Each structure stands twice: as C-alpha cells, then as structure tokens.
Amino acid sequence: MAENYRFFRMRMRLLKQGRAPYRAVVRSTIDLETAFLRLTGRNLREARIYEIGYGQRPMRLLALQSLGYDARGVDLDPPVIRGSMSEFRSIARAGGSRRLVKSAVRHFLFDRAERRHLDKALREAGAQLRIDIRRLDVGNAAEMEIPEGSIDLIYSDNVFEHLPPDVMEILCARMAKWLSPQGVALVMPDVFSGIAGGHLTEWYADFLSDRYQRRTEPWEHLRKRRARADCYLNEFRLEYYRRLFRRHFHIAEEWNVEEGLGGEFLTDEIRQELSEYDVEELLLGRYRFALKARLPHVACPALQPDDQAHWKL
Ligand SMILES: C[S@@+](CC[C@H](N)C(=O)[O-])C[C@H]1O[C@@H](n2cnc3c(N)ncnc32)[C@H](O)[C@@H]1O
C-alpha cells in the first residue's frame, strides 16, 4: 500500500512538472540513435527496432513510432490504450483483479494526461502522437515468433531482472538469432545488489534525496529481507548477467547508468555487513549492456553449478 502511494506521488510530481519528463522521453530516442550509430555505424532510421517489456506506459516505444521509426515491442501484460472494456477484460484475464484495479486507476488518473504531455513534446519535435496497437505485441518475449536476422536493434529497460533463469536463457538464445548480422541489443537491468535492486520504491533514485522516515533500511533486500517487492526478482548479480550474456553474445560495451547510486547511505557498518560485495557492486543502479550476436550463433556450454553461486546470495 505504502509502495503504491509512493508511486502515486511520483506520478503526480511528474505531471506537475508538466512537459519536461516527456521531452526527456523524446530525447531518449536520440540517445538510442546515438548509441546505435556508435555501435553499428548505421542510422537508426534504417533500423528495425524491437522493445522487450514495454510496460504499462510504453512511452518510448510510442515516441519512436510517432517519430516515424520502424519500432514494435512485446509485453506480457496488455497495455491500456483506449480504456475500452475489452482492454480491461484482457488485463483481468492476464493479471487478475488486482492488476485490473491498478491499471484502471492508472489509466484514468494518469495515462491520458501523460499522453497529452507526450503529444506536446512530440509536436515540439515536429511530430504528433500516433499509437499503432498492432505493433504492441502481447505475450512472453521468449515465445515470440520472429524471423531470424530480422531485427537491427533490440532494447529492454528494467525487464531482465524480472525474468526467471529458464526464461532468460531461452530469450537470450532467441534474441541472438533475431538480430541481423550488424544488429545490437541494449539491455538495461536494475541490478539486485544496488540500493534500488530490491524494488522497494522508497529506495528508487527518484526518492533518494527525499527526507522522510523510511519503512525499511538501506540495502534491506540484501540484509534483513523483511520487506519484499510485489514483483518477481531473479536476484542476479552483475557477474551472472555477464556470464549469461557471454554464452550468446559478445558484450560490446557495458556501463553503469546510475553511478554511485545510494552512496550517501552506505555507512561503514553496512559495508561490513555486506562485505561479500565490492563497494562498486553496492553502488550499482541500472546497468546497460550492449550485446552483439556471436556469428554463427552457437551458445557456449551451459552455466555450471559453480557459476550459479554468483547468482543467489
Ligand atoms: C518494471 S516493468 C518495465 C517496463 C518498461 N520497460 C519501463 O522501463 O518502464 C517490467 C515489464 O516487463 C514485462 N515482462 C516481464 N517478463 C516478460 C516476458 N517474459 N516477456 C515480455 N514482457 C515481460 C512486465 O510485464 C512489465 O511490464
């Protein structure tokens, strides 16, 4: 409940800030363009783009589509676009009554206003919001039927930490096949060892500077484990992602997007308690991997039990 309340406050704050965050969404398409050019030498305008896990607010995907990019994506949960009965019925079928209530509240309180802001930001960039529902696939990404070599850019933010190991394994193998020879995947999990890795909203980057009595302690998810996120987390450590990705890809680049996240909360006492982690690992936020398929695609041997020690704590 408190978690939902904090999310509510964050959304209200963004709406009050007006257009700025939506300008940032539009700008983030330029970040993709720059990264794609650097990694492939090609223009994103020529690329076939696919997002894995676009979420309930597929803002970046909608921005890309509206700006004329060839972009589509997939999510397990159907999005609410029009707010029609049939959309809410499919949400209830896929996620039950709790998900239905959450989606309805979100849609009527926020989605429409947020899309208006996004439309304004797009108009400043010479476009307007266009939503093509046919390009928002619904299903398990690991089960999508996508022709080999048919995608030039796959991107996925804040999704891989939610994938069970077996799904991740299948998905990585498939992604490596979907990518065109020069294609690249930009994958950004929120790494478990970071202060926000437990997905407790009060430790998200957006709230770290807020001064209030928190219900949980910093790195609670590694230390006391009293509070848990209301979503599945695979609890992978950074090194485990690396090993898993290397089985299917060449890691072309990797970087910590939120460097030093939570540094002000890392006391000597907590460092001692969590001495099995390097300080860098504790200060990780969302972490970006740029992955290129190894050609011809042959997966390296499966991870051994010893490798798995890097995963669970
Ligand atoms: C935390 S949300 C992130 C959404 C969005 N990418 C963002 O950054 O706001 C994770 C999303 O991943 C989706 N997801 C989880 N497992 C998936 C799978 N196997 N296939 C497709 N989507 C999946 C969930 O439904 C959820 O919408």
Side-chain angles (χ1 to χ4, degrees), residues 130-311:
R130 284 192 295 120
I131 301 179
D132 184 352
I133 304 178
R134 292 162 307 174
R135 296 170 75 75
L136 301 177
D137 298 330
V138 177
N140 179 353
E143 291 170 2
M144 296 310 287
E145 293 299 333
I146 295 176
E148 286 190 21
S150 67
I151 303 186
D152 304 298
L153 170 66
I154 296 172
Y155 72 91
S156 185
D157 291 353
N158 311 320
V159 174
F160 274 57
E161 69 273 26
H162 298 291
L163 300 179
D166 54 334
V167 173
M168 179 101 88
E169 187 62 51
I170 297 169
L171 180 59
C172 285
R174 298 196 116 192
M175 283 166 56
K177 290 190 174 152
W178 297 338
L179 281 177
S180 60
Q182 292 85 34
V184 66
L186 292 174
V187 174
M188 186 170 70
D190 199 343
V191 182
F192 192 66
S193 58
I195 193 164
H199 285 57
L200 298 174
T201 320
E202 57 190 10
W203 296 109
Y204 282 5
D206 283 316
F207 295 119
L208 282 189
S209 59
D210 290 3
R211 297 278 160 246
Y212 62 91
Q213 185 65 41
R214 292 180 166 82
R215 282 180 317 126
T216 56
E217 292 180 36
W219 288 273
E220 167 99 21
H221 57 294
L222 304 183
R223 300 164 61 213
K224 313 224 157 140
R225 293 183 164 240
R226 292 171 305 193
R228 288 202 174 254
D230 66 350
C231 56
Y232 169 79
L233 293 173
N234 57 31
E235 305 188 5
F236 289 174
R237 290 174 72 165
L238 187 62
E239 185 54 25
Y240 193 75
Y241 282 109
R242 287 199 185 105
R243 289 178 183 215
L244 197 71
F245 289 147
R246 281 197 197 111
R247 296 194 57 229
H248 303 276
F249 304 96
H250 154 63
I251 301 178
E253 282 181 14
E254 52 178 288
W255 65 100
N256 189 4
V257 178
E258 297 172 315
E259 203 150 347
L261 191 69
E264 67 273 34
F265 295 95
L266 188 57
T267 59
D268 289 344
E269 197 188 334
I270 297 177
R271 277 181 63 173
Q272 259 170 21
E273 199 179 327
L274 296 175
S275 57
E276 69 169 289
Y277 298 90
D278 294 339
V279 170
E280 293 75 40
E281 216 182 339
L282 294 173
L283 298 185
L284 285 175
R286 290 173 306 152
Y287 198 87
R288 172 95 69 194
F289 289 93
L291 309 170
K292 293 191 161 196
R294 277 190 282 100
L295 293 172
H297 175 84
V298 185
C300 297
L303 293 180
Q304 299 303 309
D306 176 45
D307 294 320
Q308 309 239 349
H310 289 271
W311 156 28

